[in-house]
Amino acid sequence: TTRAGLASPDSVQLDSGKWSLDNWGEDVLCQQLNGSLYYWDTSASTSTVQRANRTAVSGAPTSSRFVLVSGTDRHVICFGTETTIGTTTTQDNMFIRWSDQESTSDWTPTSTNTAGSQRLTAGNKINAAVRSRGAILIWSDTALYQMQFIGAPFTFGFKLLGSNCGAVGINSAIDISGTSFWMGIDSFFMFDGAVKKLPCTVQDYVFDDINPNALGDVYCAAYTDF
């Protein structure tokens, strides 16, 4: 590294080992960034998370950026995942794959299930996704997409909602009662049917001073009093 602590141009940048988690009934699905999908059985232990209770999900992709459960239609969705399941070298940061409905282990599309996949094109990597009102919002590093359950034969439909409005990391977006807010590379944004920049009195202070190598570690949460 240089004296300022920033990486030199020829250095390798490594992502921190962030986890994404989502409920599967009373149990939990866990996905380590660029790793495998795990299942935590809460019936085996309700007091502490023990390694023995966390098992890799059979049949699931082995290298993905993060995971999300779709909602009432109950599909497990891996973002930035493998084009060939079980082959980590095929991980594509813009590729989405989902399981059969109500299944954590059936990921191979057939004529009798709802498993499937889709590759997004606007951007270099998928950085975030949240459940919103009637759809899932997906951010790449440059764009915002909508993923909506439409049923057979395609299961999900995809729509580009905005460009030049990407999110910076897997925890940098949040949805509150159907309105989404997120941090982009140089602005804060919201989506309430249209993409809008948020007025911000400290925008220059934040974006002129932040370490660009740490943008992926930004965490967004709701402060309900405001």
Side-chain angles (χ1 to χ4, degrees):
T1 58
T2 63
R3 282 190 303 113
L6 298 178
S8 57
D10 59 348
S11 65
V12 175
Q13 293 299 306
L14 300 176
D15 290 319
S16 57
K18 293 177 284 291
W19 287 81
S20 55
L21 302 97
D22 208 349
N23 291 101
W24 185 258
E26 67 174 9
D27 299 328
V28 181
L29 290 168
C30 319
Q31 171 75 60
Q32 187 172 24
L33 183 68
N34 298 323
S36 297
L37 180 64
Y38 290 90
Y39 189 101
W40 179 46
D41 184 356
T42 56
S43 298
S45 173
T46 56
S47 58
T48 58
V49 178
Q50 298 176 5
R51 177 175 289 272
N53 302 331
R54 191 191 70 192
T55 57
V57 176
S58 174
T62 55
S63 184
S64 308
R65 290 182 59 75
F66 59 94
V67 68
L68 186 74
V69 177
S70 58
T72 56
D73 55 277
R74 298 261 295 178
H75 290 83
V76 184
I77 308 169
C78 284
F79 297 88
T81 190
E82 301 161 336
T83 57
T84 301
I85 295 176
T87 305
T88 59
T89 56
T90 67
Q91 183 181 6
D92 182 337
N93 287 331
M94 292 295 288
F95 195 74
I96 300 171
R97 186 180 291 280
W98 58 90
S99 68
D100 185 25
Q101 192 169 25
E102 297 288 349
S103 173
T104 61
S105 58
D106 188 359
W107 293 79
T108 303
T110 70
S111 60
T112 58
N113 71 14
T114 58
S117 62
Q118 176 76 28
R119 190 183 191 278
L120 305 183
T121 57
N124 300 298
K125 60 182 177 180
I126 298 172
N127 272 346
V130 298
R131 286 183 296 271
S132 188
R133 189 171 297 168
I136 295 170
L137 297 182
I138 305 169
W139 289 265
S140 71
D141 53 341
T142 65
L144 171 62
Y145 280 88
Q146 175 184 276
M147 177 180 181
Q148 189 168 29
F149 181 69
I150 58 174
F154 301 110
T155 309
F156 289 102
F158 293 82
K159 180 181 179 181
L160 180 65
L161 299 177
S163 301
N164 300 315
C165 59
V168 294
I170 67 173
N171 295 311
S172 63
I174 191 170
D175 187 86
I176 305 171
S177 301
T179 300
S180 294
F181 303 86
W182 69 97
M183 182 173 173
I185 192 71
D186 57 7
S187 301
F188 296 102
F189 294 90
M190 67 178 290
F191 178 79
D192 59 358
V195 176
K196 303 172 183 177
K197 283 190 175 182
L198 280 174
C200 180
T201 57
V202 295
Q203 180 168 305
D204 289 345
Y205 175 81
V206 172
F207 291 100
D208 289 350
D209 193 49
I210 197 167
N211 180 352
N213 298 323
L215 282 170
D217 296 325
V218 166
Y219 191 94
C220 177
Y223 188 10
T224 55
D225 287 348
F226 297 92

